[in-house]
Amino acid sequence: MLLLLITSTPDAFAQTSSGGPPQDPAGQGQAPAWSVGISAATYVLPDEENFVQPTVTADRNALHIESRYNYEDRHSLSGFIGWTFETGTKLQLELTPMIGGVVGDTDGIVPALELTLSFRRLEFYSEGEYVIGVNGTSSFLYNWSEVSIRAADWMRAGMVTQRTRAFGTPRDIQRGVLAGVNVGNIAGTFYLFNPG
């Protein structure tokens, strides 16, 4: 399975200067800025139909809102709300617990967690969720994890795994490699699962 992920994370709705809080010449008490991110993963599969999986995120301070399509299952839409906790300077940890739901070919309640651990040029990223199935959907666990190193500020390479377990079925773990580049706010990452 081949996956290409393109992301863009422009700050939207308001900009802040590096010298302090947002300027508010009219004295209206301007609210903190929203940051919006858009990504689209294209899955190229050997014996199945290829598909695109878009994700949209919106962050305001620690508040995190996220929506995905074709993520938990094809033709399924999910939405999440969460809170981001950050700590550390040299060793940085970012943790975002979320709660959400999915509707479509899969229906359920979804507790989820996104985690990033960074040290210098090394980064570990993981996102996991447990879909509590409703309306005839089986419950399952899903996890995506990657470890990468930045050879330069604009380039990274590493390894990736994804794990899923549908209730009552054997575990399915796929492993692969990744290579990514970024130019400004645009990043592209190529993943190759189960090489050979």
Side-chain angles (χ1 to χ4, degrees), residues 53-84:
Q53 184 275 300
T55 300
V56 177
T57 61
D59 295 281
R60 183 174 183 175
N61 294 330
L63 176 66
H64 177 77
I65 300 170
E66 187 167 330
S67 182
R68 309 167 178 161
Y69 184 71
N70 283 340
Y71 187 90
E72 287 76 15
D73 195 359
R74 306 255 185 109
H75 314 294
S76 296
L77 177 67
S78 56
F80 298 88
I81 188 165
W83 199 260
T84 301

Side-chain angles (χ1 to χ4, degrees), residues 7-28:
T7 60
S8 175
T9 55
D11 289 333
F13 305 114
Q15 298 290 321
T16 59
S17 65
S18 58
Q23 299 300 314
D24 186 12
Q28 300 296 319

Side-chain angles (χ1 to χ4, degrees), residues 10 13 27 69 71 77 79 83 87 120-121 133 146 154 162 176 189:
F13 305 114
Y69 184 71
Y71 187 90
L77 177 67
W83 199 260
T87 187
R120 296 187 181 168
R121 295 191 173 271
E146 56 185 63
W154 59 273
Q162 64 175 348
T189 306

Side-chain angles (χ1 to χ4, degrees), residues 3-4 10 51 57 66 71 75 100 106-107 118 150 152 183 187:
L3 170 66
L4 178 63
F51 68 96
T57 61
E66 187 167 330
Y71 187 90
H75 314 294
T106 292
D107 298 317
S118 305
R150 288 207 173 271
V183 178

